[in-house]
Every structure is written in C-alpha cells, then in structure tokens.
Amino acid sequence: MVPLKRLWSGDTTNARIAEELRRFKPGLILLRNNSHETPFNDWLNSEYRLVYLDGQHRLYARPSVIQQARR
C-alpha cells in the first residue's frame, strides 16, 4: 500500500512505485479509478488482468492468482 501522502511529500515518486511493482510483482494491485495515467500502465496491462472495475476502483490480478481462484 502506498499512501498518496508519500507522493505529495516527495517521499516517493511514480517512477519509484513502478520500479517497486516490477520488482515485487504483487498478486493484486488496487488503484483509484480516475483519468490519471500511471507511468506503468503498459507494464500493468501486459502483466496483469483487470478483474474488477467500479466508479472508484480498478483491481488488477496476475494471471497466476486468477488461476488459483478458479481451482
């Protein structure tokens, strides 16, 4: 979890978040559903699948997590 305050305060950056996501490859990623592009959108769409979408959230899952859920 990365609080927005870490971005606002300069404690982290979008590039750093993208680097951490690529490094750790979490099973699930929950993002705010807004019109802002992320610096890791292409990577996210190639490595994850959108599994839930509503007015406030977008939930992405790695294909391996989706396979486990289907068992």
Side-chain angles (χ1 to χ4, degrees):
M1 182 167 89
V2 180
L4 285 175
K5 185 177 181 181
R6 288 190 65 199
L7 283 168
W8 297 332
S9 69
D11 187 42
T12 194
T13 64
N14 281 323
R16 172 85 191 256
I17 293 170
E19 178 185 318
E20 294 291 320
L21 288 172
R22 287 184 183 101
R23 182 172 158 212
F24 290 107
K25 299 179 183 176
L28 299 171
I29 298 175
L30 181 65
L31 299 173
R32 178 181 286 170
N33 187 12
N34 58 22
S35 60
H36 299 323
E37 286 289 317
T38 63
F40 48 88
N41 244 22
D42 291 338
W43 172 81
L44 184 65
N45 290 323
S46 68
E47 298 288 325
Y48 289 78
R49 302 295 170 258
L50 181 64
V51 295
Y52 179 78
L53 175 68
D54 68 17
Q56 295 181 356
H57 302 99
R58 292 179 290 156
L59 178 64
Y60 292 86
R62 292 188 59 77
S64 60
V65 171
I66 295 169
Q67 287 299 323
Q68 285 180 331
R70 291 182 178 162
R71 292 183 191 168

